[in-house]
């Protein structure tokens, strides 16, 4: 919240070289001013309500004689203005570090804030007034211009650029600021306000619909085969998964299946490469569905068709001609006009859906749009038009079952009308030593921004890998799709099945995984601070903790109620997955643990009640296997979706536990700091394919 000065009404207009001052209720001061530039007249319009919105109005003055040569706003440098923050302490920035990806930074000072920062989160300086306060500064991609934040000495340079030549003026929303005691809510409020001001309210994640197919486990061909994917290879993998009873429900055929010139990186045809898929794509899909029970099959394609567009004179060019455009350099790509872009994708997707029986698509390289259209069309318009066409086609043919990928540039993030899932990190890289470190911080911290728009696809992983445990529990808190890409013969179900029910349904958290409060401003790679990511499942919280420091040192960590927003009062029960240990946590208390180098642990924070069902303890989130609980004075009945060690917390000691009518061997262990105990009842039937199990707790 911001303090309103008496006598000053919103909006406030700040003209050339003047300064506007905003102040939060907690005492953070924000100073905004335009700066002198050659023949550029600029002003800032500040609309202050619960959040503060900054609009930039600027134009390049024409040169006399007016009929002579003119200069325009630089497509890359655009128009800049300045911001100074006073009364802030620690900083965290989410910035675009590659053309397609964003990642976090932990600046020690304002000058360290990276170029192309999209979200800056600042904490109020310790001792500056009472109580915690945070400030979120959000850069917006408007109708034409995108804004970027960068450190410049003790100030911030805010730049709005169009990516288009011959532009003489800008009139766009540039920044939104939100302040308050909850940093997650600050990020959420800033995005919601910006979407409301740009007429895109329905692009907020909570307004979108998560595709039901991604509630089930999948497999992707990429890391298994890379460009050598073939029907024969896929079927060998399906045989292995069936033999190991891994309940894969969808398959994604990634890059390498296409009829393309892989040297020139251009698309030649709409179907599969004949040498890899002799019967065509449709024959492969039919075999997957009929012989292996795969419910959905999807394919990968680039936003441009293939990485470098279409091959001139090819069947693909002929089929997609109405929706494509020839650029000045000869490349053939989707036209950046929504109707034509729709015709491009609609023609191809119609073929994939109706001829090949494809159910979903992964569309890669999306942030290349602004590279292909650099100088030709504005950031907001080029990406906005192509995203409209792509999303309309994906909605029409695949019911919005689309994974957006390599599309974390702000012009893409702000312009997808309907699709709900987007990759939130660079690729999973199985052959890069300690690749998990970067993978974990990107997915966790990027979600503070992208998680406001989409559910994150935290990418595939290998279940047979030196970092399989960390990657597995990372997916437990992601809230998004879960799928692997192991090579033939290499799938290890021990790191897959704890994430799933036996029917392949993912036990999925309900929000998007994000860093805990004590992790927000700490660099877990360059320090020995344990990275903790959290999410919510029903009335519990799931916390994944990781030691990813680059010096490979053991780390001490802790969990407390203060780590999560809104839990600083009352009490909760902390459950440690690997130790199968329960501890009662109250305000001001914490649970300490130790992690060896490159290790992790999973915790549940459960309600502190007389009786709490944990469910099947072999699962990371055992409550996902609980179908029904009927409590009575003499007996409590729990219906499970499947068998396994049944766990519950109770202040009463049970007289016996019956598992499908058979007395179960039971172990009780006192919950530290509580009068209750953790009880574990072993499944007397062991491994069983039986669906639906009944546990009776006799009091």
């Amino acid at each position: 919240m911001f303090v309103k000065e008496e006598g000053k009404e919103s909006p406030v207009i700040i003209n050339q070289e003047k300064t506007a001052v905003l102040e939060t209720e907690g005492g953070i001061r924000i100073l905004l001013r335009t700066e002198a530039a050659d023949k550029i007249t600029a002003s800032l319009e500040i609309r202050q309500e619960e959040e503060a919105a900054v609009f930039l109005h600027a134009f390049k003055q024409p040169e006399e004689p007016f009929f002579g040569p003119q200069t325009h706003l630089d497509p890359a440098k655009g128009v800049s203005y300045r911001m100074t923050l006073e009364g802030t302490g620690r900083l965290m920035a989410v910035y675009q570090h590659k053309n397609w990806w964003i990642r976090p930074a932990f600046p020690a000072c304002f000058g360290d804030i990276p170029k192309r920062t999209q979200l800056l989160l600042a904490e109020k300086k310790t001792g500056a007034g009472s109580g915690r306060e945070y400030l979120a500064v959000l850069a917006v991609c408007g109708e034409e211009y995108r804004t970027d934040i960068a450190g410049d000495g003790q100030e911030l340079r805010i730049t709005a650029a169009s990516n288009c030549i011959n532009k003489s003026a800008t009139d766009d929303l540039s920044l939104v600021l939100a302040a308050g005691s909850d940093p997650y809510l600050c990020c959420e409020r800033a995005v919601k306000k910006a979407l409301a001001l740009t007429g895109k309210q329905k692009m907020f994640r909570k307004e979108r619909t998560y595709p039901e197919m991604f509630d089930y486990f999948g497999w992707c061909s990429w890391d298994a085969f890379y460009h050598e994917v073939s029907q024969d290879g896929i079927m060998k993998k399906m045989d292995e998964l069936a033999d190991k009873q891994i309940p894969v429900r969808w398959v994604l055929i990634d890059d390498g299946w296409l009829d393309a010139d892989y040297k020139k990186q251009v698309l030649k045809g709409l179907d599969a490469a004949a040498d890899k898929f002799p019967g065509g794509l449709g024959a492969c899909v039919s075999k997957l569905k009929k012989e292996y029970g795969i419910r959905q099959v999807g394919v990968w394609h680039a936003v441009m068709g293939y990485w470098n567009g279409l091959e001139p004179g090819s069947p693909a060019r002929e089929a997609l001609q109405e929706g494509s455009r020839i650029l000045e350099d000869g490349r053939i790509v989707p036209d950046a006009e929504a109707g034509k872009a729709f015709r491009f994708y609609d023609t191809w997707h119609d073929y994939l859906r109706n001829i090949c029986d494809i159910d979903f698509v992964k569309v890669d390289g999306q942030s290349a749009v602004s590279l292909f259209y650099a100088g030709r069309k504005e950031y907001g318009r080029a990406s906005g038009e192509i995203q409209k066409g792509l999303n309309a086609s994906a909605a029409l043919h695949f019911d919005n079952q689309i994974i957006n990928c390599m599309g974390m540039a702000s012009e893409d993030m702000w312009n997808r009308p309907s699709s709900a899932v987007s990759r939130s990190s660079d690729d999973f890289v199985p052959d890069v030593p300690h690749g998990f470190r970067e993978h974990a911080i990107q997915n966790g911290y990027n979600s503070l921004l992208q998680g406001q728009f989409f559910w994150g696809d935290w990418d595939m992983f290998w279940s047979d890998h030196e970092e399989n445990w960390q990657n597995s529990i990372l997916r437990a808190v992601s809230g998004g799709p879960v799928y692997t890409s192991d090579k033939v013969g290499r799938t290890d179900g021990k790191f897959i099945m704890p994430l799933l029910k036996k029917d392949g349904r993912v036990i999925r958290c309900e929000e998007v995984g994000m860093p805990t409060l004590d992790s927000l401003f700490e660099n877990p790679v360059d320090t020995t601070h344990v990275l903790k990511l959290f999410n919510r499942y029903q009335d519990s919280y799931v916390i994944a903790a990781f030691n990813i420091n680059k010096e490979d040192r053991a780390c001490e960590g802790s969990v407390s109620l203060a780590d999560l927003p809104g839990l600083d009062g009352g009490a909760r029960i902390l459950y440690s997955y690997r130790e199968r240990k329960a501890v009662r946590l109250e305000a001001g208390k914490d649970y300490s643990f130790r992690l060896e180098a490159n290790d992790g642990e999973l915790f549940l924070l459960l309600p502190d009640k007389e009786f709490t069902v944990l469910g099947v303890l072999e699962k990371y989130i055992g409550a996902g296997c609980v179908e029904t609980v009927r409590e009575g004075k003499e007996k409590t009945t729990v219906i499970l979706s499947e068998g396994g060690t049944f766990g519950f917390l109770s202040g009463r000691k049970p007289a016996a536990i019956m598992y499908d009518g058979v007395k179960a061997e039971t172990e009780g262990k006192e919950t530290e700091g509580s009068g209750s105990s953790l009880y574990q009842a072993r499944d007397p039937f062991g491994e069983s394919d039986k669906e639906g199990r009944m546990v009776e707790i006799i009091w």
Side-chain angles (χ1 to χ4, degrees):
M1 301 285 283
F2 293 89
V3 176
K4 285 193 175 183
E5 291 187 44
E6 291 187 17
K8 282 193 176 182
E9 296 296 326
S10 179
V12 174
I13 307 297
I14 302 300
N15 295 313
Q16 203 80 5
E17 298 187 65
K18 292 186 178 180
T19 300
V21 180
L22 300 173
E23 186 170 346
T24 68
E25 291 183 344
I28 297 175
R29 282 166 50 90
I30 303 104
L31 285 70
L32 290 158
R33 64 179 175 85
T34 59
E35 60 181 1
D38 183 33
K39 297 184 179 179
I40 297 176
T41 300
S43 64
L44 300 177
E45 177 187 345
I46 302 168
R47 300 181 190 176
Q48 182 180 333
E49 297 172 348
E50 289 189 1
E51 298 78 32
V54 180
F55 292 80
L56 174 62
H57 310 291
F59 66 93
K60 186 76 178 282
Q61 299 168 4
E63 300 179 26
E64 294 189 15
F66 297 146
F67 56 82
Q70 298 290 322
T71 59
H72 301 87
L73 296 175
D74 188 288
K77 295 179 180 178
V79 181
S80 293
Y81 58 98
R82 300 284 182 158
M83 173 185 286
T84 303
L85 299 180
E86 297 178 353
T88 58
R90 296 184 297 174
L91 304 168
M92 192 282 299
V94 176
Y95 71 103
Q96 188 177 342
H97 74 115
K98 295 180 182 177
N99 289 318
W100 308 274
W101 306 115
I102 60 177
R103 74 179 303 278
F106 305 89
C109 61
F110 293 114
D112 292 342
I113 294 172
K115 295 178 180 179
R116 298 201 292 182
T117 287
Q118 301 303 306
L119 172 68
L120 178 65
L121 190 62
E123 183 182 44
K124 186 177 72 172
K125 192 173 184 178
T126 304
S130 60
R132 284 184 174 182
E133 190 182 48
Y134 303 88
L135 174 69
V137 183
L138 174 70
V140 178
C141 181
E143 187 175 353
E144 294 185 340
Y145 282 69
R146 68 167 266 175
T147 295
D148 294 285
I149 303 167
D152 190 357
Q154 295 303 307
E155 295 182 309
L156 303 178
R157 178 183 289 274
I158 316 297
T159 302
S162 70
N163 201 39
C164 187
I165 62 173
N166 299 327
K167 298 291 293 184
S168 298
T170 174
D171 184 8
D172 238 334
L173 176 62
S174 180
L175 293 178
V176 174
L177 297 86
S181 59
D182 183 335
Y184 310 99
L185 193 55
C186 289
C187 297
E188 178 179 312
R189 285 170 41 218
V191 171
K192 285 186 75 172
K193 183 66 174 181
L195 290 173
L197 290 170
T198 53
K200 299 176 179 178
Q201 293 94 323
K202 295 300 181 181
M203 292 191 193
F204 188 58
R205 175 178 58 84
K206 294 177 182 178
E207 296 286 345
R208 301 180 192 258
T209 301
Y210 187 82
E212 185 182 3
M213 66 159 283
F214 294 128
D215 276 325
Y216 290 85
F217 176 67
W219 177 82
C220 176
S221 68
W222 179 240
D223 294 306
F225 299 107
Y226 298 112
H227 284 123
E228 302 307 312
V229 64
S230 66
Q231 177 171 324
D232 182 59
I234 292 171
M235 298 311 157
K236 288 179 180 177
K237 186 64 192 182
M238 293 300 106
D239 287 336
E240 178 205 352
L241 293 171
D243 289 344
K244 293 180 176 178
Q245 296 184 306
I246 306 297
V248 61
R249 294 293 176 256
W250 55 267
V251 166
L252 172 58
I253 306 174
D254 213 295
D255 190 4
W257 71 273
L258 289 160
D259 179 13
D261 184 325
Y262 287 89
K263 186 174 182 180
K264 295 180 181 178
Q265 298 195 332
V266 288
L267 184 69
K268 297 195 297 183
L270 303 188
D271 211 305
D275 59 330
K276 300 176 182 179
F277 296 82
L281 181 61
C284 179
V285 173
S286 177
K287 190 176 180 70
L288 284 168
K289 292 182 177 182
K290 291 178 180 178
E291 296 186 19
Y292 296 95
I294 301 301
R295 296 174 184 172
Q296 291 93 12
V297 180
V299 289
W300 174 102
H301 71 75
V303 72
M304 296 299 172
Y306 200 54
W307 295 110
N308 210 27
L310 310 180
E311 181 179 67
S314 67
R317 164 60 173 156
E318 183 179 351
L320 305 177
Q321 185 168 355
E322 287 189 14
S324 58
R325 168 181 174 176
I326 303 176
L327 300 178
E328 290 82 350
D329 58 13
R331 291 181 292 179
I332 306 170
V333 299
D335 198 302
E337 186 278 317
K340 292 181 179 179
F342 172 74
R343 284 196 286 275
F344 182 96
Y345 299 113
D346 172 60
T347 301
W348 196 5
H349 291 169
D350 180 72
Y351 181 87
L352 292 173
R353 181 76 188 111
N354 291 298
I355 304 301
C356 305
D357 200 21
I358 288 296
D359 303 284
F360 71 102
V361 287
K362 171 185 173 182
V363 182
D364 216 339
Q366 293 190 21
S367 292
V369 171
S370 58
L371 303 178
F372 278 73
Y373 278 94
R376 300 176 176 92
K377 202 151 190 173
E378 301 89 343
Y379 280 118
R381 293 197 188 280
S383 293
E385 294 292 293
I386 285 181
Q387 289 291 353
K388 285 177 186 175
L390 172 61
N391 276 243
S393 180
L396 176 65
H397 297 290
F398 306 121
D399 195 22
N400 280 321
Q401 294 176 165
I402 174 176
I403 298 175
N404 299 287
C405 191
M406 290 182 71
M408 300 189 78
S410 67
E411 59 267 25
D412 295 294
M413 201 180 302
W414 287 89
N415 280 301
R416 294 188 185 103
S418 56
S419 53
V421 176
S422 186
R423 268 278 294 282
S424 51
S425 73
D426 209 328
D427 287 4
F428 163 70
V429 282
D431 297 324
V432 174
H434 302 301
F436 177 78
R437 294 171 182 171
E438 182 68 16
H439 198 67
I441 65 168
Q442 283 191 25
N443 280 298
Y445 290 89
N446 288 350
S447 295
L448 292 163
L449 175 58
Q450 186 181 268
Q452 312 302 334
F453 297 88
F454 313 103
W455 280 272
D457 166 20
W458 290 26
D459 205 10
M460 62 201 85
F461 72 100
W462 276 1
S463 62
D464 180 16
H465 189 265
E466 61 184 4
E467 295 178 318
N468 50 11
W469 160 245
Q470 300 98 302
N471 271 299
S472 183
I473 62 173
L474 181 73
R475 272 66 184 182
V477 295
S478 76
V482 175
Y483 57 117
T484 55
S485 56
D486 294 285
K487 294 183 178 183
V488 175
R490 301 293 295 273
T491 292
D492 187 345
K494 294 194 300 293
F495 297 95
I496 295 174
M497 293 312 298
L499 290 158
L500 319 173
K501 297 166 71 170
K502 276 193 173 180
D503 65 356
R505 180 178 283 273
V506 176
I507 305 174
R508 187 173 65 86
C509 287
E510 296 166 23
E511 299 293 338
V512 175
M514 294 184 184
T516 56
L517 283 165
D518 60 314
S519 293
L520 276 177
F521 300 98
E522 300 288 346
N523 186 333
V525 177
D526 293 343
T527 70
T528 55
H529 186 90
V530 171
L531 170 65
K532 300 205 301 286
L533 304 174
F534 79 100
N535 206 330
R536 182 172 58 83
Y537 186 84
Q538 296 177 358
D539 57 359
S540 301
Y541 289 88
V542 185
I543 301 173
F546 303 100
N547 176 1
I548 55 174
N549 79 88
K550 64 184 180 183
E551 295 182 358
D552 290 333
R553 294 168 54 188
C555 288
E556 303 292 333
S558 65
V559 179
S560 73
L561 299 184
D563 294 341
L564 303 183
L567 291 187
D568 49 356
R572 287 257 171 174
I573 301 297
L574 179 77
Y575 172 75
S576 171
Y577 175 79
R578 281 196 303 195
E579 291 189 77
R580 290 197 180 178
K581 176 182 178 181
V583 177
R584 187 175 187 269
L585 288 182
E586 298 177 343
K589 304 287 185 180
D590 62 27
Y591 172 76
S592 298
F593 60 92
R594 177 184 174 86
L595 289 177
E596 297 301 322
N598 307 305
D599 195 10
E601 176 58 301
L602 193 77
F603 300 98
L604 301 178
L605 266 180
L606 308 157
D608 182 23
K609 300 189 298 186
E610 175 68 18
F611 176 76
T612 300
V613 174
L614 286 171
V616 177
L617 298 184
E618 285 78 12
K619 307 297 183 182
Y620 296 143
I621 308 173
C625 295
V626 177
E627 303 287 329
T628 307
V629 178
R630 294 193 295 269
E631 294 189 55
K633 288 185 178 181
E634 298 181 356
K635 181 176 71 174
T636 295
T637 302
V638 180
I639 305 299
L640 302 175
S641 62
E642 58 202 70
T645 305
F646 173 68
F648 64 97
L649 296 161
S650 176
R652 288 196 292 170
K653 183 178 180 179
I657 298 176
M658 309 298 290
Y659 216 126
D660 279 348
V662 177
K663 188 174 182 180
E665 183 181 340
T666 303
E667 174 188 348
K669 187 187 300 183
E670 186 178 344
T671 301
E672 292 183 17
S674 171
S676 67
S677 293
L678 167 63
Y679 292 95
Q680 302 178 50
R682 293 178 179 83
D683 185 347
F685 301 96
E687 292 289 330
S688 172
D689 293 331
K690 181 180 177 182
E691 293 185 10
R693 311 294 293 277
M694 183 173 70
V695 177
E696 296 169 290
I697 305 169
I698 312 300
W699 302 111

